[in-house]
Amino acid sequence: MRSLDPRLTPARPDLAARHLEGQVAAERFVDGLWREVVDPQAPVRKAPAPDAMLETEALLGERVRVYETTDEGFAWGQLEVDGYVGYLPANALAAPGSAPTHRVCALRTLLFPGPSIYLTPLAGLPLGARLAILRTDGPFAVTASGSCVPEKHVAPLDRPESDFVAVAERFVGVPYLWGGKTSLGIDCSGLVQVALAACGIAAPRDTDLQEAALGTAVAPPGEWREPRRGDLVFWHGHVAIMRDARSAVHANAFHMAVTVEPIAEVIARIRRESRGEPTSIRRL
């Protein structure tokens, strides 16, 4: 049996996805069921425990292929958007409803039970959450469930943004959170993935996967002389987005936040931390 990346392979010794039969060893294989994220964001954890490591987050409207639901309330499955495998709270998922038509384009917005700002919000929604919008009612967009969101805070899925760096810059000051993908907390590769998604560009979740899949190499790191806005600078386990020739935006554990810094300072600090030089610079 061949070795597959466990982050992207729905297979365990006791259970695996049907399409992997003949490729991996497992006691049984199942087809799984499509489910949809119905919470604003759902944690995707490494193990079926509330304190297990956060691997990533799935946002409202995303689909998940679920292969097992445990008695303890966890669903084990694979995210459709980037193929990531992990454990989600089962109560954050439901059978797929109306197909999403819009995405949240504000850093965070509020979902109201009706078309009035004086009503108590039902939830806060992150940038990138997907909604099925049926109509408008004044300044509100009305969802398939009858709830309302400010129309200015959503955009049709077929109208992506054009500058992913500008999207990333909206997150400046947001706390650093390993595995996070929202304004409540985000990590370096999550920032890249969410910003690119807003522009209609699919990206893997983790830095090593992004480095292998995104763009083309500009030049060997030591020969990098003309950085451009949007260049991605990779290290082992880290990525930063160039804003211009001298500064970058990135979520980082040094500041425990998304920050804008001179790229020379970032490179020097990571070197001092004995994490080496940039491994590549990629241009989309």
Side-chain angles (χ1 to χ4, degrees):
M1 297 295 178
R2 64 193 182 102
S3 177
L4 299 171
D5 190 328
R7 295 170 296 181
L8 306 176
T9 308
R12 307 182 323 217
D14 64 322
L15 179 65
R18 181 83 65 190
H19 70 270
L20 293 172
E21 197 163 3
Q23 301 180 56
V24 300
E27 294 176 6
R28 61 190 180 98
F29 295 85
V30 299
D31 293 320
L33 296 171
W34 283 114
R35 292 291 181 258
E36 183 178 294
V37 178
V38 293
D39 281 0
Q41 69 261 4
V44 181
R45 300 192 183 278
K46 193 177 184 66
D51 58 351
M53 178 182 288
L54 181 67
E55 300 274 61
T56 186
E57 291 179 309
L59 306 183
L60 176 72
E62 288 188 25
R63 298 212 308 172
V64 184
R65 190 78 170 181
V66 173
Y67 297 101
E68 177 190 56
T69 300
T70 71
D71 292 339
E72 292 75 26
F74 285 92
W76 179 66
Q78 184 172 32
L79 307 186
E80 182 181 43
V81 66
D82 58 17
Y84 224 92
V85 175
Y87 293 87
L88 299 86
N91 60 8
L93 307 175
S98 301
T101 60
H102 289 64
R103 59 180 173 81
V104 173
C105 57
L107 189 61
R108 182 159 290 272
T109 192
L110 296 174
L111 188 68
F112 294 91
S116 172
I117 61 173
Y118 301 109
L119 298 174
T120 301
L122 300 171
L125 304 182
L127 186 147
R130 296 186 169 202
L131 299 162
I133 300 297
L134 299 184
R135 57 188 175 85
T136 59
D137 187 339
F140 287 90
V142 183
T143 72
S145 66
S147 53
C148 298
V149 64
E151 185 184 15
K152 292 180 179 179
H153 290 177
V154 295
L157 292 178
D158 61 0
R159 296 182 194 171
E161 301 205 33
S162 59
D163 185 352
F164 84 96
V165 182
V167 178
E169 289 171 328
R170 295 180 207 163
F171 284 84
V172 170
V174 166
Y176 178 86
L177 173 66
W178 178 275
K181 287 178 56 174
T182 78
S183 62
L184 297 179
I186 198 165
D187 65 15
C188 64
S189 55
L191 182 65
V192 170
Q193 187 186 50
V194 168
L196 286 174
C199 297
I201 302 171
R205 178 60 178 88
D206 293 343
T207 54
D208 62 322
L209 302 173
Q210 292 176 352
E211 186 173 17
L214 296 176
T216 58
V218 174
E223 300 175 17
W224 187 47
R225 292 292 180 269
E226 297 180 1
R228 296 182 189 172
R229 183 176 177 87
D231 285 355
L232 301 176
V233 187
F234 288 95
W235 293 260
H236 289 296
H238 190 60
V239 60
I241 305 166
M242 294 302 299
R243 297 175 63 247
D244 51 38
R246 294 180 177 81
S247 66
V249 57
H250 63 143
N252 62 93
F254 179 80
H255 294 284
M256 286 304 296
V258 177
T259 56
V260 170
E261 299 182 82
I263 189 62
E265 292 184 13
V266 178
I267 292 173
R269 182 172 67 244
I270 292 177
R271 183 189 300 125
R272 289 195 302 271
E273 294 170 349
S274 301
R275 293 173 58 189
E277 302 295 327
T279 53
S280 73
I281 296 93
R282 313 285 297 180
R283 182 166 294 164
L284 278 69

